[in-house]
Amino acid sequence: GAGVSQSPSNKVTEKGKDVELRCDPISGHTALYWYRQSLGQGLEFLIYFQGNSAPDKSGLPSDRFSAERTGGSVSTLTIQRTQQEDSAVYLCASSFIWVGTSGIRSDEQYFGPGTRLTVT
Amino acid sequence: GENVEQHPSTLSVQEGDSAVIKCTYSDSASNYFPWYKQELGKGPQLIIDIRSNVGEKKDQRIAVTLNKTAKHFSLHITETQPEDSAVYFCAATTLFPLGTDKLIFGTGTRLQVFP
């Protein structure tokens, strides 16, 4: 079936502009994650959604960053007043959490191809 | 919070040789350890994972070992092939419902396999 998709694949923006990055998770996946990959910081967690709520926002680097998820599916990561240090690849991942006989379990995280953001 | 260290940062091997990448973690609550392969311009792809209730897992040419006491885990690739060339990341997390599954990644190992 279809994997995680992200759009746009590349985004070039001027410093100070706002950008929106979109993630379409695998159908039926209840959990959604945003990560950022940059040369200086490696792969770092940003935010986690379970359904439409975000119980863990601990990785968002500043209040210029926000994210939402609607209908338990698509998620949008918004960066306001972009800075050059925001330049990175933004990755989205999704996974399925289910309730089994041994309790609640979560599945592997599947990553999308990422959005490469360049702030000039 | 969790911290994951990964070594080596680069690894070059001859085709057919074995490659080993090692990671250590700091949080004893971590109970899930996936390994991802990332090719240029693509997102990370899960290649193997291990949960804290087992010590070793194997899938064809790939194996992962976990030592909970020492808090380290390793990726072993045997009979390497040129298509194994990529960047490999280890990660650690505490799975839901005890945690939020957020992955803490190592810094990556660039593996080059020469024909």
Side-chain angles (χ1 to χ4, degrees):
Chain A
V4 178
S5 60
Q6 293 186 246
S7 60
S9 55
N10 281 284
K11 176 71 176 179
V12 180
T13 190
E14 291 180 353
K15 177 181 172 182
K17 301 282 189 181
D18 297 353
V19 295
E20 284 189 354
L21 312 179
R22 177 186 169 107
C23 171
D24 279 275
I26 293 172
S27 179
H29 276 195
T30 52
L32 186 147
Y33 307 80
W34 284 98
Y35 295 88
R36 179 168 73 172
Q37 186 170 27
S38 56
L39 283 176
Q41 300 298 323
L43 265 163
E44 53 180 346
F45 166 81
L46 297 178
I47 187 170
Y48 155 67
F49 286 92
Q50 177 55 33
N52 291 334
S53 64
D56 192 344
K57 306 178 184 179
S58 62
L60 294 178
S62 75
D63 58 8
R64 296 186 295 105
F65 287 72
S66 63
E68 65 175 12
R69 189 179 186 196
T70 55
S73 181
V74 171
S75 176
T76 302
L77 177 68
T78 301
I79 309 174
Q80 296 179 309
R81 306 181 302 281
T82 52
Q83 303 295 313
Q84 287 186 330
E85 60 262 29
D86 299 334
S87 296
V89 176
Y90 289 82
L91 293 159
C92 175
S94 70
S95 69
F96 181 63
I97 294 179
W98 80 95
V99 179
T101 54
S102 59
I104 301 173
R105 294 289 296 275
S106 55
D107 204 345
E108 297 88 357
Q109 291 185 31
Y110 296 87
F111 280 80
T115 293
R116 180 174 295 279
L117 175 65
T118 303
V119 182
T120 61
Chain B
E2 176 65 278
N3 182 54
V4 178
E5 294 188 357
Q6 182 172 348
H7 300 281
S9 56
T10 60
L11 181 60
S12 297
V13 299
Q14 205 73 33
E15 181 178 2
D17 287 350
S18 295
V20 180
I21 303 171
K22 298 182 179 182
C23 289
T24 59
Y25 62 99
S26 61
D27 189 351
S28 56
S30 290
N31 56 11
Y32 177 64
F33 308 91
W35 286 88
Y36 285 85
K37 175 183 181 182
Q38 187 174 30
E39 297 174 325
L40 198 60
K42 298 184 178 181
Q45 177 189 8
L46 180 73
I47 55 171
I48 196 167
D49 58 10
I50 191 167
R51 297 174 191 256
S52 59
N53 57 348
V54 298
E56 185 174 358
K57 183 176 178 180
K58 189 173 182 180
D59 182 3
Q60 299 183 334
R61 296 186 297 109
I62 296 173
V64 57
T65 58
L66 171 65
N67 183 326
K68 286 189 296 181
T69 303
K71 295 197 188 75
H72 66 70
F73 57 112
S74 300
L75 177 71
H76 304 253
I77 306 174
T78 58
E79 301 170 26
T80 53
Q81 302 168 3
E83 51 265 37
D84 293 331
S85 297
V87 179
Y88 291 80
F89 291 94
C90 63
T93 190
T94 304
L95 291 176
F96 184 90
L98 299 177
T100 61
D101 291 26
K102 69 180 182 185
L103 296 173
I104 305 301
F105 285 90
T107 48
T109 296
R110 182 173 299 279
L111 173 65
Q112 290 184 301
V113 180
F114 293 99

